[in-house]
Structure formats: structure tokens, C-alpha cells
Amino acid sequence: MTSDHDMLWRRCTHLGRLLLPLVDQEPWRQARRRETLTTRGIDTAAGERMIEIFAALAAHAVALDASSSAAEFGALPLKAVADAATGKRDYELLAGLPDTFADDRDGQAVNAFRLFTYKGGQYSHRLLLLSRELRYALNIVAERSPTPSPTCGDIFRQATEVGLHQ
């Protein structure tokens, strides 16, 4: 049986995976992001995967701070996730993660995030750039929302409306 904490993490990673495809409904946004990553010396595939896991980590940190269950995850404000992405220290985002990950890709991405966090220097700078890209992506999705204060649940609804797999 899956614990609520594991389910919460899965909801967070699902949010991270939906974010960039939602932003990329306007193809020029994807091209802009990829150009920015390349200009900053970040491989686009790796950078986009890091943005996904960064989104999951920020959402997870917000959920833990709010003592939210997996069932309550949808009510978390996107603004709080965006604020966590740029306002929390990198190592703060790593607190309270599951011991194991159902998806090996998530475990590998979290380990890469850990490595970037603890290596410092240029790696910390890359995380700063990725946090800005994440905040930008969250703001784009929030602007498209018909609700004035969009939530994580609104991301899931938007994804369903445009036919992204849930």
C-alpha cells in the first residue's frame, strides 16, 4: 500500500511533468526557453528535466509547509509554489523527500539536484537560473488560468482541457 506521503510526492512530480507542456502550447515559448538554456551552457533536455523536478520539489516543500495531504494538494496556490522556487534555499527543497522513488528518473533527477546544491559555485548558479525559468513557467500557466488565484489543481484541469495525459 502506498503511503500518503508517497502519493503526495507523486502528485508533485505529476505537476512538474505537466508544467512545460502547458507552457509550450505557444511553441515560441519552448524555443525561447531552449535558447536561454543553451546560452547559459545547460543541455536543453537535462535543463528541462531539472525544471520538472525543481517544480516537484517546490510544490512538495509548499505542501509539507502547509501540512497538506495528497488529497489536499490541488488546493495549494501556484503563487506559493513559484515563491518557493525562488525564495527557498536549494537545500530546503530537499527536506522531507521520500526515502525511495517509484520512478528511477525522479530519483536520478533529485540526486542531480542534490549534487548541484552541495557542489556550489557554477552549479548553484545553474540552479538559480533554473529556478527563474520555473517561476516564469508557473507565471505563464497562472496567467492563462480563468481563476484569479490559480492552484495546483487548476494545472491538472488545464492539462485535461488541452488533452495532456493525466
Side-chain angles (χ1 to χ4, degrees):
M1 182 171 222
T2 306
S3 74
D4 187 65
H5 187 248
D6 289 338
M7 286 303 298
L8 176 62
W9 174 250
R10 288 181 185 173
R11 300 267 299 162
C12 293
T13 57
H14 190 63
L15 176 92
R17 286 187 182 100
L18 293 174
L19 184 62
L20 293 181
L22 282 172
V23 170
D24 294 347
Q25 289 177 300
E26 298 167 298
W28 68 268
R29 292 194 187 275
Q30 181 184 55
R32 186 211 59 87
R33 180 181 61 252
R34 289 181 172 175
E35 180 181 338
T36 299
L37 292 173
T38 301
T39 301
R40 302 290 186 184
I42 301 171
D43 175 76
T44 55
E48 289 177 347
R49 180 67 180 123
M50 288 297 287
I51 291 169
E52 287 178 10
I53 207 66
F54 213 135
L57 290 167
H60 190 257
V62 170
L64 290 181
D65 287 350
S67 299
S68 296
S69 67
E72 299 165 326
F73 177 75
L76 294 175
L78 277 184
K79 181 179 180 346
V81 176
D83 289 346
T86 55
K88 284 192 173 278
R89 305 281 236 154
D90 302 334
Y91 61 83
E92 291 177 302
L93 298 176
L94 295 168
L97 290 176
D99 294 329
T100 59
F101 299 96
D103 185 334
D104 287 339
R105 292 179 326 130
D106 293 339
Q108 291 169 353
V110 167
N111 286 337
F113 189 94
R114 277 188 181 112
L115 181 64
F116 277 36
T117 297
Y118 295 116
K119 262 194 152 179
Q122 71 176 345
Y123 296 99
S124 289
H125 183 68
R126 285 185 180 174
L127 287 179
L128 175 66
L129 296 170
L130 293 171
S131 74
R132 290 179 183 162
E133 284 297 316
L134 171 57
R135 185 175 189 99
Y136 177 76
L138 288 164
N139 287 336
I140 294 302
V141 173
E143 288 172 7
R144 291 185 188 151
S145 176
T147 59
S149 297
T151 64
C152 292
D154 291 324
I155 294 269
F156 296 133
R157 282 187 285 285
Q158 284 181 28
T160 299
E161 288 171 8
V162 299
L164 292 174
H165 299 290
Q166 292 265 354

